[in-house]
């Protein structure tokens, strides 16, 4: 097949979708560029038009998934919240929803232990935390929280959400199945964020 035809027919998006599925179901080490090409019905050489190596392809998937999560958090920040739920609780619930409804993506993003891949994930994990922390810190400032809490609490909240997601993802529990428990969890975590001295 001519390179131009391959370029037109085998899109970057199709490759990412197939590779994500294979990495999730078979593991990073078990998958090669050749096996991804076979899955798509193309020679592995056609993949190199878009990606130089498997690690670059993996990183593209990680970036795409983190960008999607970041977009969801930004949407949650501006979307009206339901009665009885604070803005911080709402944002945390959206994070938990993503983690539970996308368990395989979440595993790739936050839980892989492959040394070759950690460098790809750490930078994106850091950017994700920084976005979450900036949203929570803004909320805490509006609520009159102390500077010490504003600095330290976002990391505690983030790690607590991660623990919740990781625990329930072991059994592939969906967000809909566990939503009341998730709300109870974030309410306990956020209990002191809007009861600071001087705040009504």
């Amino acid at each position: 097949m001519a390179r131009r035809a391959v370029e037109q027919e085998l899109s970057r998006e199709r490759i990412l979708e197939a590779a994500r599925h294979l990495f999730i179901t078979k593991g990073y080490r078990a998958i090669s560029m050749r096996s991804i090409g076979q899955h798509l019905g193309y020679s592995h050489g056609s993949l190199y038009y878009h990606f130089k190596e498997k690690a670059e392809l993996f990183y593209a998937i990680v970036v795409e998934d983190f960008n999607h999560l970041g977009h969801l958090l930004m949407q949650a920040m501006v979307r009206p919240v339901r009665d009885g739920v604070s803005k911080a609780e709402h944002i945390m619930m959206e994070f938990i929803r993503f983690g539970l409804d996308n368990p395989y993506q979440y595993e790739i993003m936050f839980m892989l232990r492959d040394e070759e891949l950690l460098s790809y994930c750490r930078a994106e994990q850091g950017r994700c935390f920084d976005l979450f922390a900036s949203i929570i810190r803004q909320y805490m400032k509006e609520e009159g929280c102390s500077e010490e809490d504003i600095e330290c609490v976002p990391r505690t909240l983030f790690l607590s959400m991660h623990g919740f997601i990781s625990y329930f993802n072991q059994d592939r529990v969906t967000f809909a199945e566990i939503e009341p428990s998730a709300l109870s969890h974030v309410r306990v975590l956020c209990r002191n964020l809007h009861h600071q001295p001087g705040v009504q």
Side-chain angles (χ1 to χ4, degrees):
M1 183 179 289
R3 168 168 282 196
R4 183 169 296 278
V6 169
E7 176 185 353
Q8 291 174 347
E9 194 167 335
L10 186 56
S11 68
R12 176 185 174 90
E13 289 70 29
R14 281 188 64 199
I15 296 170
L16 288 173
E17 182 180 357
R20 181 186 286 107
H21 171 76
L22 291 172
F23 287 150
I24 286 167
T25 56
K26 299 183 182 301
Y28 178 80
R29 292 285 179 183
I31 297 302
S32 65
M33 294 292 269
R34 183 180 300 276
S35 61
I36 296 169
Q38 289 174 343
H39 182 79
L40 287 163
Y42 288 85
S43 71
H44 66 284
S46 60
L47 275 63
Y48 291 108
Y49 180 82
H50 296 280
F51 303 99
K52 295 176 185 176
E53 58 183 3
K54 183 174 70 166
E56 181 184 347
L57 173 53
F58 175 84
Y59 183 60
I61 291 170
V62 168
V63 168
E64 185 173 85
D65 289 340
F66 272 107
N67 284 344
H68 177 58
L69 175 55
H71 178 69
L72 292 177
L73 294 179
M74 294 298 291
Q75 283 187 320
M77 185 173 67
V78 298
R79 188 184 305 130
V81 300
R82 69 191 193 198
D83 290 343
V85 177
S86 72
K87 180 65 74 173
E89 291 165 349
H90 176 65
I91 289 164
M92 292 175 69
M93 288 291 283
E94 287 304 303
F95 190 102
I96 291 173
R97 182 195 305 273
F98 174 86
L100 293 178
D101 285 347
N102 302 280
Y104 299 112
Q105 285 94 321
Y106 192 85
E107 185 172 344
I108 284 177
M109 295 162 69
F110 287 103
M111 301 175 70
L112 284 183
R113 292 294 173 263
D114 193 303
E115 287 297 325
E116 182 181 347
L117 305 178
L118 278 177
S119 61
Y120 289 104
C121 294
R122 283 299 187 204
E124 297 304 318
Q125 289 170 0
R127 277 191 275 273
C128 181
F129 169 73
D130 288 342
L131 173 60
F132 173 80
S134 69
I135 294 171
I136 296 299
R137 284 179 178 134
Q138 180 60 42
Y139 170 81
M140 293 178 70
K141 286 176 184 177
E142 293 170 1
E143 291 293 319
C145 296
S146 71
E147 288 298 323
E148 181 180 0
D149 282 351
I150 289 171
E151 179 60 31
C152 299
V153 166
R155 184 172 300 278
T156 298
L157 298 181
F158 190 86
L159 294 175
S160 296
M161 288 190 307
H162 175 64
F164 185 93
I165 294 166
S166 302
Y167 179 82
F168 285 105
N169 268 351
Q170 294 177 96
D171 298 319
R172 295 299 185 244
V173 176
T174 67
F175 178 78
E177 293 173 299
I178 207 74
E179 184 173 1
S181 293
L183 184 57
S184 295
H185 180 68
V186 300
R187 280 183 167 156
V188 168
L189 293 173
C190 295
R191 186 172 290 162
N192 295 321
L193 296 189
H194 28 263
H195 293 289
Q196 300 298 320
V199 178
Q200 300 301 316

